[in-house]
Amino acid sequence: MKDQGSAGVSPGPPEGEKKAINSELWHACSGPLVAMPPVGSLVVYFPQGHSEQVAASMHKEVDIIPNYPSLPSKLICKLLSLTLHADSETDEVYAQMTLQPVNKYDRDAMLASELGLKQNKQPVEFFCKTLTASDTSTHGGFSVPRRAAEKIFPPLDFTMQPPAQELMAKDLHDIPWKFRHIFRGQPKRHLLTTGWSVFVSTKRLLAGDSVLFIRDEKSQLLLGIRRATRPQPALSSSVLSSDSMHIGILAAAAHAAANSSPFTIFYNPRASPSEFVIPLAKYNKALYTQVSLGMRFRMLFETEDSGVRRYMGTITGIGDLDPVRWKNSHWRNLQVGWDESTASERRTRVSIWEIEPVATPFYICPPPFFRPKLPKQPGMPDDEGEVDSAFKRAMPWLGDDFALKDVQSQLFPGLSLVQWMAMQQNPQMLPAGAPAVQAPYLNSSAMAMQDGTGTGNDDLMRRFNMQSQNISLPNSQVGSKMDHAAMAQHQQQSHQLQQQQQVQQSQQSSAVQPTASPIAAAECHSSPAAARTSPTSAVTATAAARTSPEAAVTATAAVEDRCKYAVNGAA
Amino acid sequence: MKDQGSAGVSPGPPEGEKKAINSELWHACSGPLVAMPPVGSLVVYFPQGHSEQVAASMHKEVDIIPNYPSLPSKLICKLLSLTLHADSETDEVYAQMTLQPVNKYDRDAMLASELGLKQNKQPVEFFCKTLTASDTSTHGGFSVPRRAAEKIFPPLDFTMQPPAQELMAKDLHDIPWKFRHIFRGQPKRHLLTTGWSVFVSTKRLLAGDSVLFIRDEKSQLLLGIRRATRPQPALSSSVLSSDSMHIGILAAAAHAAANSSPFTIFYNPRASPSEFVIPLAKYNKALYTQVSLGMRFRMLFETEDSGVRRYMGTITGIGDLDPVRWKNSHWRNLQVGWDESTASERRTRVSIWEIEPVATPFYICPPPFFRPKLPKQPGMPDDEGEVDSAFKRAMPWLGDDFALKDVQSQLFPGLSLVQWMAMQQNPQMLPAGAPAVQAPYLNSSAMAMQDGTGTGNDDLMRRFNMQSQNISLPNSQVGSKMDHAAMAQHQQQSHQLQQQQQVQQSQQSSAVQPTASPIAAAECHSSPAAARTSPTSAVTATAAARTSPEAAVTATAAVEDRCKYAVNGAA
DNA sequence: TTGTGGGCCCTTGGCCGACAA
DNA sequence: TTGTCGGCCAAGGGCCCACAA
């Protein structure tokens, strides 16, 4: 993977510099769910997640994520630098981050972390279209959705016959592409003709890939691509073995933690499903959310065309993803089930900061009479005093989490590297009194019912809540103790009712939840994208064997919004 | 880099298996200098060299190769498995090796290591041609060198007018390619027409790249490619930071050494100039060779067209490549100068096993009257007794080299990862009495003169030999103490004479040196390969910016053999 | 012996509206 | 509103030899 025009959001380490990558375009390509923390802010780094991404980048099964002696499951770090990159061959976007583990953090960093939660980097003026077979064929041009053309492209001079103009758009590498934009045909439609096929062949686009155009602040046209996630053959790096990669990640982090020295990581937003560098404020906020078995939640997913939609789910288990190697880790420690039958592809393991509990406005902004019990609201620092010490009081266990004991590791002759690392127990145990999931002040589900939004299934909800008391025991696999039959029955019975509630709650809570990003999607139109074999030369048909994109466009029935293309903002 | 049809020379770890890669073809692509050790044999692994390769693979400056606490500069390992690979996108060849560090080794492994030295995997029936601008242009086909076509391709039926046939050749991934082979034109010549341009475009070949055809044992035609080493942009992995990669390599090796457990590495023959996994027998043999300042040697280099030629050089310094981080390492511990002025691109640092001292037959097969002093010849075990114990007696320092002391590493807050690792001293010190370069029984240069081959410069040679006594001090940079002016003068004066000697010595020693591989090259013809800009579409000339191969084909005047193409074996 | 260029044919790229989903 | 097709024209892919290095 070659280097590219890299870009400094901050002065990152130079590595074959060209020109700064347009941040808006980068975010448009990385998708609506990706928000990078601001430089200087505090973040939480999860080695497990990092390992998962490496495994995902190599298209390998996430077999065993090894741990490493003396490396805790999370590191609180200061984000020293952030550089946005794009692969020069594939245009794949990724970010380079320099993190420095910290034991204590200052007020500014905390505030920066807070502010980072509120910014949404998705460009306002953009559209994204999944390419059809006709779009990518050499036979024709690109059919531009009408609304998209009207919103994004410069207006045509309709006195011309036919109306046409030359468009110029720059990609992530600042390379300009020129297209003939014409409005013709019967019925009339917007087309990109001359220049389009060169773009398609140079970028090696196939039907199913997406193209997106944005207009930045200076009204300049930019374009990016987003490739379909087709089943790719396992990727062998040919440079480093998978074992060495994993141990490299962990060793680098462990050293950095021990010395409070910076280390560098790469984050590829589209390679793995989860971010592993989380704003500290977001993480803390999530810690204060009650999670209990059977709890209902919503979670954001990206739609095919760069929109977002929420899926409803239920927490079916709470416990370590890997109780042997990564004890007491918050990484994907929730087992979940999804309401919709089409959700078979969705993950069954999520982390607490990924979900939005249903009806939680109370905890985001507790009523005044609860405040005396908590000196500061960690999620929302004000100007009154030291955020730092407030944190220490609120979360006394944090301080112990960074001491690196130099463990005299035993040696196990004959074990493979992964086996050996797998045997290493994480020596960083949380203090005995600190539960794996922090006990909240109140039970959110119970609150939801008192709030009047929960109706008709009080008994079952209470039952789950009672069982959820077990979670104060660290690392207990409470999910397995559940009565799954009763659970399933309950879900089936109250399914329709819940969906009605969802809509109401979604509308209510999105007004008060600062983390909820506004969704604007229009022009929904459902029709499965066609996929066909790309034409290959007859002479060496087997040799030129380029696997045709399998018609894997799963027609998932969407509740909220689903369309072949989306114009961001009302049309 | 995607996975590929991988191939098991031995049962290697499966990783997206397809079919075994043809070993002959793999070796043809990897070049004439690459010989892989046999599975089960003993090898010496150099972490420094491994790090260098990773740096080279990423086209980065070989800045600082960090070391790692408790990791010695070399590990003696048993080669558990060897799998040949080829990148599915670029056809780049590489090998996956599983190594297990050993403290003691059995007789069989030692013998296997011996046998490995004698096999030469280069296929007998093959030819390699560097592609011209005409070859890669869409305008025409491929002009096949006459001798090559006659030797490799099936004979044409010359009763036809014109004589023509269809050729089928499989590549590294076992994908068949079909070409029309025709003998036409005025004057007559062999051409590949139909099918050729598809091959060129699919493989993305450019003028300067090479294509090679071989005929295996079953007379089947195979073809491979070898890309020109053009100046590539720095490669950013987008997965792992360079720091993490280096520490990953070292940590994996250190763990394996501590536990005698297997670890996996990738070796890319064309990425870095030097092998870092050396047959133990070859290494030991090199240790018994006297090296001294001013010593003359020959060294094999690959020619442009998969041939080999020897260059003459002089040892100008002996000492650690990195005296701070990698003390007493044999990795590239020789500083050398080259006779030819065109040798400016050649490396100035080599390892002892890479060179062939001039006139050393005496040490390869010592005369009988020296044998009583040495119970066993380590390089050539016979059937009389335990090779193992013989080794222990011959090289007592080897045993100490593998003990892993669990060093309580100090922590240096604030240092970067590389800085920290660089500060770590390799705790494995050689015993005080053991010199960095083993003192031989006799001085080879002196021998050469007594042998009658060295004439006319006795004084200078003696002087260098006296100075070379200093090398018994470990890690001393003797090279810097040399009289460089006298050295240069000497070289200039005796240049022509030396060249005459080289030819004689080459002929003499190649007959008795088992490591010398037979060179067979014919049809030498010198003409610089032309390079021209590849045609790009006019519409978006800047966008499609595909850098044209710069005419970097340096016309080095070759002494022995140099040709645009070479037919292996007499024509 | 072989690299390059001109001549010439014909495949394929690419622009158009028709038509239907 | 937009995906795909047939029609049609022109660019360039690709096979040939001439010529020269």
Side-chain angles (χ1 to χ4, degrees), chain A residues 25-70:
Chain A
L25 183 56
W26 190 94
H27 278 90
C29 292
S30 62
L33 299 179
V34 175
M36 302 305 290
V39 171
S41 72
L42 294 171
V43 295
V44 190
Y45 165 77
F46 293 89
Q48 266 176 296
H50 195 184
S51 255
E52 271 184 19
Q53 157 149 326
V54 169
S57 294
M58 301 176 65
H59 309 294
K60 267 196 169 179
E61 301 301 314
V62 193
D63 29 13
I64 289 180
I65 304 288
N67 66 353
Y68 195 82
S70 77

Side-chain angles (χ1 to χ4, degrees), chain B residues 441-478:
Chain B
Y441 330 123
L442 286 167
N443 180 295
S444 69
S445 299
M447 277 305 295
M449 283 179 283
Q450 291 173 9
D451 212 30
T453 54
T455 57
N457 46 17
D458 297 11
D459 281 343
L460 268 164
M461 291 305 265
R462 284 221 179 82
R463 183 170 157 199
F464 291 139
N465 290 331
M466 282 175 63
Q467 286 179 323
S468 73
Q469 303 305 321
N470 289 331
I471 65 168
S472 60
L473 296 171
N475 199 35
S476 63
Q477 273 285 358
V478 193

Side-chain angles (χ1 to χ4, degrees), chain B residues 127-419:
Chain B
F127 84 90
C128 173
K129 185 198 178 188
T130 301
L131 297 180
T132 65
S134 296
D135 289 331
T136 51
S137 148
T138 58
H139 190 56
F142 174 62
S143 184
V144 188
R146 184 168 161 262
R147 304 265 189 157
E150 288 170 356
K151 177 147 195 75
I152 306 297
F153 293 163
L156 286 170
D157 178 6
F158 282 94
T159 61
M160 297 170 70
Q161 206 46 242
Q165 65 181 336
E166 185 182 65
L167 292 183
M168 195 274 279
K170 290 185 174 178
D171 68 8
L172 280 164
H173 314 293
D174 214 46
I175 294 176
W177 297 88
K178 286 176 182 169
F179 305 105
R180 177 173 166 84
H181 170 208
I182 194 169
F183 186 70
R184 61 164 170 79
Q186 200 50 252
K188 293 273 180 286
R189 90 268 318 269
H190 291 269
L191 294 165
L192 296 189
T193 58
T194 311
W196 174 252
S197 72
V198 185
F199 178 74
V200 168
S201 62
T202 305
K203 297 291 190 187
R204 286 175 212 146
L205 295 174
L206 300 174
D209 295 335
S210 298
V211 172
L212 50 90
F213 283 83
I214 79 172
R215 215 163 61 186
D216 66 1
E217 318 90 11
K218 290 172 287 182
S219 275
Q220 290 216 324
L221 214 53
L222 307 174
L223 90 169
I225 61 176
R226 209 186 290 171
R227 294 181 197 279
T229 55
R230 23 184 89 82
Q232 288 183 0
L235 200 123
S236 162
S237 85
S238 95
V239 176
L240 234 58
S241 75
S242 153
D243 281 4
S244 296
M245 284 197 176
H246 281 108
I247 202 178
I249 285 173
L250 303 177
H255 165 263
N259 299 278
S260 296
S261 60
F263 66 109
T264 297
I265 61 156
F266 288 107
Y267 166 59
N268 189 326
R270 305 200 73 79
S272 55
S274 298
E275 292 174 294
F276 54 89
V277 177
I278 309 298
L280 178 58
K282 183 179 182 181
Y283 174 75
N284 284 335
K285 202 168 287 178
L287 276 191
Y288 274 79
T289 303
Q290 160 73 334
V291 277
S292 54
L293 285 176
M295 196 174 104
R296 308 278 300 144
F297 66 90
R298 291 167 308 163
M299 188 166 147
L300 287 177
F301 284 89
E302 183 179 329
T303 59
E304 191 191 322
D305 39 288
S306 200
V308 290
R309 67 152 293 195
R310 287 174 165 77
Y311 284 83
M312 289 295 291
T314 310
I315 295 178
T316 60
I318 301 171
D320 280 327
L321 171 62
D322 186 338
V324 178
R325 281 160 290 277
W326 295 97
K327 272 190 182 171
N328 304 320
S329 168
H330 285 150
W331 181 256
R332 291 187 198 277
N333 66 334
L334 303 181
Q335 262 183 296
V336 298
W338 300 99
D339 287 8
E340 295 174 50
S341 57
T342 57
S344 58
E345 296 169 4
R346 254 173 291 289
R347 307 182 265 127
T348 56
R349 279 265 181 192
V350 300
S351 305
I352 37 172
W353 53 87
E354 294 181 290
I355 63 170
E356 308 166 6
V358 167
T360 56
F362 184 85
Y363 300 99
I364 300 304
C365 182
F369 52 84
F370 270 102
R371 283 201 170 140
K373 293 192 177 180
L374 190 73
K376 292 284 186 308
Q377 270 301 315
M380 305 187 135
D382 51 23
D383 290 324
E384 292 172 31
E386 307 86 15
V387 179
D388 206 353
S389 59
F391 248 98
K392 285 281 165 57
R393 267 173 289 168
M395 290 174 284
W397 69 91
L398 276 180
D400 292 326
D401 224 344
F402 303 102
L404 181 90
K405 294 170 195 144
D406 205 1
V407 181
Q408 188 78 9
S409 58
Q410 278 185 279
L411 305 178
F412 299 92
L415 291 183
S416 83
L417 181 60
V418 169
Q419 284 174 323

